[in-house]
Amino acid sequence: MKTIFDSTIIRSVSLKNRIFRSATWMGMAGANGCVTDAIVDVYREYARGQVGGIITGFTSVSPCDGELPGAMRFTGDEHISGHRRITEAIHAEGSRVFLQAAMLDTYVPDASGHGGLKIVNDLTHDDMRSIVDTYANAAARAEKAGYDGLQIHAAHFFGLSRCISPLYNQRQDEYGGSAEGRGRILVEIHDAIRQSVGKHFAVIIKINCSDFIEGGLTERDFLVVCEMLSHAGIDAIEVSGNYTSRTNVRAGVGEAYFKEAALRLKSRVPTPVILVGGLRSIETINGLIGEEGIDYVSLSRPLICEPNLVARWLAGDTRPSRCVSCNSCYHTPNHQCVTRLHDKDA
Ligand SMILES: Cc1cc2nc3c(=O)[nH]c(=O)nc-3n(C[C@H](O)[C@H](O)[C@H](O)COP(=O)(O)O)c2cc1C
């Protein structure tokens, strides 16, 4: 039977347990999205806390992308040395690290080289090609910086999740018209990344299982797109959804809120499935992995609250996460946990 503390391998990336830190924007980057000492320290703390796989926060990979305040950028070779500090700090503690490659929206370059926002319906085939190239170039840089893999961010109504959502994509050409058409850009991105990196580098994706909005991406669309990605050879799929950080969740109450979609995906594809969203107790996680067949779980707010949570569980203190899912961490400086801040003040 699978257990939470199994050592596993995704592609060639060895992981010491089945727990990921889900991508979490920390708002701590410096000018032009550069990596700061504070960012390196936080990632080191997660790795010392025994998180097996760490996915960085939202990192803009397009030079003409909009700005998410304090989010990292990885848009040129000048960013490689900063990102190398992150990968070296995490590797020194025996964990693995994936770059979350994101675009705030569908920003594309124009003739001046700067570019701007175009809605999905207006993207030309050259624009599509430039988005694909942007991801392939980012992956090559990520590999140079020492990342073990890259996560394509296609969730939460940021750039690529708009391309697959019928709410934003009403195109009738080969990039629209059906779930297969809307999903094409993700497969092209996956394939271009694979061409630009070595065979050991893992390519994973975070994707909405539903937009949970009338007229948006449905679970059926999600399954179709994931089957296409699985067929293309994606290395793992992290199942998320809109309304991603739900409140009123605690141990035994409302946990694992994207579980049903993840299990239906699991029954259709051989690709490893990572489940995120409201996981707060080791009992729930053990049930998902040991009995229900989920391959990996991913945590965001519980690790903001307790960076050493996994080490605590490993040491035998299996009390649930102290996170009460209040979402204050979205609004505090550097997205810190208010419970933790109170503890420090006490
Ligand atoms: C402060 C904060 C920042 C987040 N930033 C990102 C991000 O950069 N990329 C992303 O895909 N999800 C982001 N998320 C969503 C989480 O990765 C996760 O999907 C969600 O919070 C549900 O998991 P949880 O219940 O373990 O927190 C963020 C969540 C929080 C609370």
Side-chain angles (χ1 to χ4, degrees):
M1 192 168 80
K2 292 192 291 188
T3 74
I4 177 174
F5 294 120
D6 293 340
S7 302
T8 62
I9 294 177
I10 291 183
R11 186 163 280 266
S12 304
V13 182
S14 54
L15 295 155
K16 61 183 163 189
N17 56 50
R18 294 182 183 271
I19 304 180
F20 277 89
R21 181 270 202 164
S22 197
T24 305
W25 156 53
M26 302 190 290
M28 294 163 79
N32 191 27
C34 72
V35 174
T36 56
D37 292 349
I39 289 180
V40 177
D41 289 346
V42 172
Y43 286 124
R44 185 182 294 110
E45 196 177 15
Y46 286 141
R48 286 192 176 148
Q50 301 301 317
V51 178
I54 296 171
I55 302 169
T56 70
F58 183 110
T59 303
S60 273
V61 291
S62 164
C64 53
D65 201 9
E67 199 190 325
L68 187 63
M72 295 192 296
R73 298 180 82 91
F74 202 163
T75 55
D77 287 353
E78 69 277 13
H79 286 123
I80 292 177
S81 57
H83 281 271
R84 191 174 288 129
R85 293 182 60 208
I86 294 177
T87 62
E88 286 178 354
I90 291 174
H91 287 157
E93 304 296 333
S95 297
R96 300 286 168 242
V97 57
F98 300 72
L99 177 79
Q100 186 178 59
M103 291 196 327
L104 201 57
D105 211 322
T106 41
Y107 286 86
V108 283
D110 59 19
S112 75
H114 293 100
L117 179 61
K118 268 193 193 175
I119 62 169
V120 178
N121 292 345
D122 290 348
L123 295 171
T124 64
H125 284 199
D126 282 350
D127 293 333
M128 292 294 191
R129 189 68 241 164
S130 97
I131 292 173
V132 170
D133 290 346
T134 292
Y135 272 84
N137 293 337
R141 286 192 197 103
E143 189 177 35
K144 278 192 194 143
Y147 282 100
D148 298 291
L150 173 145
Q151 181 178 67
I152 302 165
H153 189 355
H156 314 159
F157 271 168
F158 289 107
L160 292 176
S161 67
R162 295 185 186 225
C163 295
I164 58 171
S165 171
L167 211 53
Y168 292 93
N169 180 345
Q170 288 108 22
R171 304 171 68 103
Q172 291 306 319
D173 64 355
E174 60 262 49
Y175 291 102
S178 62
E180 287 85 350
R182 292 188 297 272
R184 172 187 295 264
I185 181 90
L186 296 185
V187 174
E188 288 187 1
I189 288 171
H190 167 271
D191 292 351
I193 291 175
R194 270 273 59 97
Q195 293 299 314
S196 73
V197 294
K199 63 178 192 300
H200 300 298
F201 189 85
V203 185
I204 66 177
I205 192 163
K206 186 173 189 179
I207 188 166
N208 277 359
C209 62
S210 169
D211 287 345
F212 299 106
I213 291 181
E214 184 73 30
L217 183 99
T218 62
E219 189 185 301
R220 191 197 150 274
D221 297 336
F222 150 78
L223 292 170
V224 169
V225 174
C226 288
E227 281 173 337
M228 291 163 62
L229 288 162
S230 176
H231 187 70
I234 196 115
D235 294 310
I237 300 173
E238 183 177 4
V239 178
S240 189
N242 279 356
Y243 308 105
T244 178
S245 306
R246 295 193 184 167
T247 51
N248 296 323
V249 174
R250 59 186 185 280
V253 179
E255 284 188 274
Y257 40 80
F258 300 128
K259 171 181 120 171
E260 299 306 331
L263 290 175
R264 279 190 279 276
L265 175 62
K266 188 70 204 153
S267 70
R268 291 191 186 212
V269 297
T271 308
V273 169
I274 307 171
L275 176 64
V276 68
L279 298 157
R280 299 292 180 267
S281 62
I282 196 164
E283 288 80 10
T284 297
I285 296 172
N286 271 331
L288 287 163
I289 290 173
E291 289 151 37
E292 304 206 66
I294 294 293
D295 301 288
Y296 298 91
V297 293
S298 199
L299 311 173
S300 169
R301 291 167 293 174
L303 294 173
I304 298 178
C305 182
E306 285 178 273
N308 69 335
L309 176 64
V310 181
R312 168 160 82 69
W313 283 345
L314 195 54
D317 177 353
T318 55
R319 286 174 298 161
S321 160
R322 294 180 66 204
C323 173
V324 294
S325 312
C326 67
N327 280 356
S328 298
C329 49
Y330 270 104
H331 312 291
T332 50
N334 299 342
H335 300 179
Q336 296 179 71
C337 172
V338 286
T339 308
R340 213 174 158 213
L341 287 173
H342 287 157
D343 286 352
K344 276 186 192 156
D345 287 348

